Amino acid sequence: MYKIGTTLLTAGLLAGMLSIVQVRAAPITNNNDPAFGRNGQVQIVASIAAPDPSGVAVVDGRLFLTFPKHDGDHTGPVLAEWKDGRLIPFPSAAFSASSDGAPQSHLISPHGLTTDTQGNLWVIDDGKVKGQPIPAGGAKVVGINPATGQIIANVPLTNALLPQSHMNDLRVDLTHGAKGMAYVTDSSFDGHPALVVLDLATGQQRRVLENTVSVLPDAGYQTVLDGRVLHYDPAHPTFPAGGADGITLSVDSGRVYYAPLASRRLYSLPTDKLADFNVSSAQLASLVVDEGEKGAADGLATDAWNRIYTTAADHDAVFRRNPDGTFDLIASDPRFVWPDGIFADQHAVYVVLGQWSRLPRLHNGVDMRKAPFLVARIPITAPPAH
């Protein structure tokens, strides 16, 4: 049984709300500067010839990006810092730009990227290179001190991993477990999505909520991309779709929020139950709260004021869900082609413009993506005082 949060919004109500929403970032009009978007202030902070980035995180003004390989192999670093207009392998070329050594000794195909409350970087490596099986030790959660480059954790996924898992994104909760807990979305390449819970101190791990509503795509899901009306069809995919994908934590790490990729619903769970391995998956399913409509979203991120940012590929936009459940459109721009990874701090929201809806597998083998690949920054401010 799924509880319905008091902030649940119907699809019709959200559509009406978004049609009249006031953009809190000052809208830019009649401005010929290409650094500004159609709505809201949009600053392009990275323009990358290749490869296509996915995850994003910012620490002390330093921009970090991931470059996964599950949709195609490529040369160059899979985790890098964007500095002085170029990609610098991070924390080292041996760890992030090499395919030599045991699978656990280096990054293979990192996807989601985040920080914890102490400012450390965390990455989920799905271990998948297109056309190859996931090797033992390839899928792992890695923590890195960004100041020193020291690897502070490297925990492989074992019994929580399936042969066709797609470990997509993660958040790290330092309020539970001796060294914290990682919550990972397994979007799955073959229709078995789930949440994965990992104790970073012990390596204990498990899959939860598999085959339950909150991690599955919505039947009949429809979207509009590049002017095409598209329907979710796993047998004939025409756009990126699947199960549990975006994930974020509340500011106090008391709740985890997550959403399937082909769904417009937002769900949440209390982390004290999710982190407790004595609470069964069935019990967790009974504790899931349907937080209501959130639009189409790939990435999710939380700012310092507990506002949740959602990417919206069908609007070329980024939305913001306020703590009371209302939404703001903070930026829309024609360059926002499938906004993917997203990161928020007290100054700005950063979003990767992944163009994943233009992958060859979705267009009869033709790669419709167009370089350069962009990372945008959208300034934000504190909410008005009440």
Side-chain angles (χ1 to χ4, degrees), residues 100-366:
D100 296 331
Q104 195 178 340
S105 69
H106 61 93
L107 293 172
I108 297 174
S109 179
H111 199 80
L113 186 63
T114 191
T115 58
D116 63 25
T117 53
Q118 295 181 353
N120 294 307
L121 281 173
W122 292 89
V123 62
I124 177 64
D125 186 354
D126 77 0
K128 175 73 172 178
V129 177
K130 184 178 181 180
Q132 302 178 23
I134 302 171
K140 51 192 173 288
V141 171
V142 175
I144 307 170
N145 181 323
T148 64
Q150 178 187 4
I151 307 297
I152 60 173
N154 185 339
V155 186
L157 295 173
T158 54
N159 58 295
L161 181 72
L162 300 181
Q164 292 298 315
S165 283
H166 174 27
M167 299 301 174
N168 193 306
D169 207 352
L170 84 165
R171 292 297 182 265
V172 171
D173 166 19
L174 297 184
T175 68
H176 296 95
K179 294 184 178 179
M181 308 291 292
Y183 310 126
V184 180
T185 51
D186 181 358
S187 298
S188 180
F189 288 119
D190 67 350
H192 296 88
L195 297 188
V196 169
V197 182
L198 172 65
D199 187 318
L200 293 167
T202 66
Q204 185 179 6
Q205 57 195 259
R206 64 170 178 162
R207 302 173 64 81
V208 297
L209 303 179
E210 188 168 325
N211 296 321
T212 63
V213 171
S214 71
V215 301
L216 292 172
D218 292 343
Y221 179 83
Q222 176 179 292
T223 190
V224 179
L225 299 168
D226 288 330
R228 299 186 301 159
V229 180
L230 302 170
H231 298 266
Y232 171 64
D233 181 356
H236 303 93
T238 54
F239 64 96
D245 189 298
I247 188 168
T248 193
L249 287 168
S250 60
V251 170
D252 64 0
S253 295
R255 294 196 77 81
V256 62
Y257 296 83
Y258 61 97
L261 185 57
S263 170
R264 299 184 186 278
R265 311 303 294 180
L266 179 68
Y267 301 95
S268 75
L269 269 172
T271 55
D272 62 340
K273 301 300 183 181
L274 186 59
D276 186 349
F277 285 80
N278 294 313
V279 178
S280 71
S281 183
Q283 289 173 313
L284 288 174
S286 72
L287 296 172
V288 171
V289 173
D290 182 335
E291 299 284 355
E293 178 78 61
K294 56 96 177 84
D298 188 335
L300 303 174
T302 307
D303 72 12
W305 300 278
N306 230 28
R307 301 177 297 186
I308 296 175
Y309 296 84
T310 73
T311 60
D314 54 356
H315 289 278
D316 298 335
V318 172
F319 295 155
R320 176 170 60 215
R321 182 183 187 273
N322 300 305
D324 64 0
T326 61
F327 277 77
D328 297 315
L329 170 66
I330 67 163
S332 64
D333 190 296
R335 294 169 295 185
F336 281 24
V337 180
W338 198 274
D340 181 16
I342 189 168
F343 180 88
D345 59 24
Q346 62 182 345
H347 304 296
V349 174
Y350 298 81
V351 61
V352 171
L353 311 179
Q355 301 188 40
W356 301 117
S357 54
R358 298 176 175 177
L359 286 169
R361 62 183 170 86
L362 307 174
H363 294 273
N364 298 315
V366 179

